[in-house]
Amino acid sequence: MHRLFATASITLAGMLPLLAAQEPPPAAAGGAAPSRPGFDVSETLTALARRVHDTPVADHTVASAAWLLLAFAETGSTMRAGNHRTEVRFLTKTLIELQGAAGQFAKNGAQASRSDQIAATLAIVLAYERSQKLRSLQRPAQNALEAVLALKVSDAEAPTNEEVALLTLLLRAQPTSERLSAMAKQWVGSQTFGKTRRGDAALHLGQLVLGEPHPPELTVARTWPASLTADPLHTVLAILAVSTDEKSLARQSKQIEELLALRVKDGPSVGMWPAAGGFDEVTTTAMFAFAIGVANGSKPK
């Protein structure tokens, strides 16, 4: 393990606590330990599992496979255990098949976008960490991380808010890699607050992950989406940000319950969210399931 990531100076064992299975903190003297809200996504995971098996490997895109794997991994299943370990194995295999020798992900010869590349890397890394560091996933995880570190940005191709947020999710709260930390800080520093709610949600999340101070006016009220389903990525970024703090998550628990209530209630798509914001139905649903899994602390009901 230590030899594997010596070149990139990355320690996957120290992944961001936001993305790690967490036990509630011990109770303070004279008081009870705070508890995280529990959100039931079991129906959604069952619906997504059906879609995974109904979709041929060749029809999965890098984005759909990545977000689906993130959803199942973040809600408790691994390559070895969990109600959806079969789906985790299938999706991990799918992403590896979409990965080139240099670590980059591509579909039918077309290289994935930077955001999809980072999301797929995050998914492979998370699957590796959660599956007790299976040897078969070591090389794909290493190659994917090296490919992310090799990503180039310029004034003409500045990182987007989505890319900034996803990149910071490859870090833990304190720096684990000088190269990755420097890259994340550069990307976060290149963005400007106050342009859009979605952009501010991404930057807020990035600064929380990096442990950097943020403007006092940057609050949940500023970054939380006006509509929970209009822009799935915006909602995901907001949920991830509030999930870094027990009190913030508790304050937003009602809104997350409202999001759950907006799922399709009957028909072939029962348990899923409709397509929105340029994402198809499966990817939209997987994104929401992933974020809610983070809010649950990787403990599905």
Side-chain angles (χ1 to χ4, degrees):
M1 175 62 188
H2 294 292
R3 181 181 179 184
L4 172 63
F5 294 103
T7 300
S9 300
I10 295 171
T11 305
L12 289 182
M15 278 295 290
L16 171 69
L18 177 66
L19 299 175
Q22 300 176 44
E23 293 296 330
S35 59
R36 298 178 78 85
F39 307 104
D40 188 357
V41 291
S42 56
E43 184 180 44
T44 296
L45 296 176
T46 299
L48 286 175
R50 286 196 299 268
R51 295 301 181 91
V52 168
H53 294 295
D54 290 344
T55 305
V57 174
D59 290 345
H60 278 286
T61 65
V62 173
S64 67
W67 285 105
L68 281 164
L69 180 53
L70 283 168
F72 288 116
E74 191 52 46
T75 46
S77 292
T78 72
M79 296 274 284
R80 299 179 185 271
N83 293 335
H84 297 286
R85 58 186 177 277
T86 300
E87 288 75 33
V88 170
R89 292 171 186 163
F90 176 87
L91 292 163
T92 301
K93 181 175 182 291
T94 299
L95 277 180
I96 291 175
E97 290 183 2
L98 291 169
Q99 186 181 35
Q104 296 178 332
F105 296 89
K107 173 74 173 180
N108 296 330
Q111 186 172 314
S113 66
R114 285 190 311 216
S115 60
D116 288 348
Q117 168 74 25
I118 300 169
T121 300
L122 179 61
I124 287 288
V125 165
L126 191 58
Y128 174 72
E129 282 294 305
R130 296 289 174 81
S131 300
Q132 300 175 11
K133 301 174 179 62
L134 276 177
R135 196 172 195 81
S136 61
L137 293 183
Q138 287 185 342
R139 182 58 59 181
Q142 178 187 21
N143 289 347
L145 284 166
E146 286 292 345
V148 167
L149 287 165
L151 290 174
K152 303 297 183 184
V153 297
S154 63
D155 291 339
E157 295 182 306
T160 65
N161 295 322
E162 176 181 359
E163 293 162 357
V164 168
L166 289 171
L167 185 69
T168 60
L169 292 179
L170 282 171
L171 291 175
R172 59 181 181 178
Q174 55 271 11
T176 60
S177 160
E178 291 184 3
R179 293 168 66 194
L180 198 57
S181 294
M183 185 176 181
K185 289 178 180 179
Q186 178 187 7
W187 283 24
V188 169
S190 70
Q191 305 300 299
T192 303
F193 285 111
K195 290 186 176 180
T196 65
R197 279 178 173 262
R198 187 206 222 197
D200 285 354
L203 291 183
H204 193 193
L205 175 60
Q207 290 186 332
L208 288 170
V209 171
L210 292 172
E212 295 185 348
H214 52 269
E217 65 272 16
L218 191 60
T219 63
V220 170
R222 167 62 193 160
T223 61
W224 197 258
S227 168
L228 293 172
T229 56
D231 183 347
L233 183 60
H234 183 180
T235 299
V236 167
L237 297 175
I239 292 175
L240 294 181
V242 301
S243 295
T244 63
D245 177 75
E246 300 287 349
K247 292 182 179 179
S248 294
L249 180 59
R251 284 193 294 267
Q252 298 304 121
S253 62
K254 182 178 179 180
Q255 284 85 345
I256 297 176
E257 290 288 359
E258 290 176 356
L259 176 63
L260 286 166
L262 294 173
R263 290 176 295 182
V264 177
K265 295 176 176 58
D266 52 38
S269 295
V270 63
M272 300 182 68
W273 283 273
F279 300 99
D280 61 35
E281 180 185 48
V282 169
T283 306
T284 295
T285 300
M287 292 169 70
F288 284 146
F290 163 68
I292 295 172
V294 171
N296 277 336
S298 300
K299 293 181 180 179
K301 296 175 67 175

